[in-house]
Amino acid sequence: MSDHAEAPVAPVEAYEPPYYVAVFTTVRTQDQSGYSETNARMEDLVKDIPGFLGMDHAQTPGGLGITVGYFRDADALTRWRTDAEHRAAQQRGRAEWYQSYTLHVAKVERSHGFTRAEDPQSPTAD
């Protein structure tokens, strides 16, 4: 949800399916008063949801934001969707921060990943 420069750049790992994803795509308004604080709070809050697996976020230069939340099961996703503090943030988002958004929820049936092995000859290798 946020762009933390100090966080390592890596996608959320590929989990054993099935699991669920919520893809939240946004275009924000000019007035972003209070957005960063609320966004940081939501990132902390979702981590406490049993079954939350992780989150990926990207922002295009043109202003399109994409956040993908990963959840072990539909119950975890429902707990996040119905959390009172999250619901209040959603209402404020519609009232103040979002020009438009879409939410897509899907069940993942196949998942795999790849990570390049570190090159021992690289000057940055330990």
Side-chain angles (χ1 to χ4, degrees):
M1 286 181 180
S2 71
D3 43 359
H4 296 288
E6 69 277 0
V9 177
V12 170
E13 68 180 88
Y15 289 96
E16 183 66 32
Y19 57 93
Y20 288 80
V21 294
V23 182
F24 185 54
T25 307
T26 65
V27 175
R28 291 193 249 165
T29 61
Q30 291 295 319
D31 182 10
Q32 293 295 292
S33 303
Y35 179 84
S36 293
E37 297 82 4
T38 301
N39 184 55
R41 173 64 185 143
M42 292 303 103
E43 283 188 1
D44 287 342
L45 189 62
V46 73
K47 292 174 186 173
D48 292 335
I49 298 293
F52 172 72
L53 300 173
M55 178 185 325
D56 288 320
H57 178 77
Q59 186 83 32
T60 69
L64 181 70
I66 303 168
T67 300
V68 182
Y70 301 86
F71 298 85
R72 173 50 51 208
D73 52 39
D75 289 340
L77 189 54
T78 297
R79 281 191 292 277
W80 176 236
R81 183 177 49 85
T82 60
D83 178 87
E85 197 172 344
H86 182 217
R87 300 283 297 174
Q90 290 171 348
Q91 290 173 344
R92 189 168 178 197
R94 284 189 297 274
E96 300 176 36
W97 299 318
Y98 299 122
Q99 183 66 37
S100 63
Y101 70 81
T102 58
L103 175 66
H104 305 276
V105 175
K107 184 177 184 178
V108 175
E109 296 180 4
R110 184 174 46 215
S111 182
H112 67 275
F114 167 80
T115 301
R116 183 172 309 281
E118 193 170 318
D119 180 358
Q121 301 300 317
S122 170
T124 59
D126 292 330

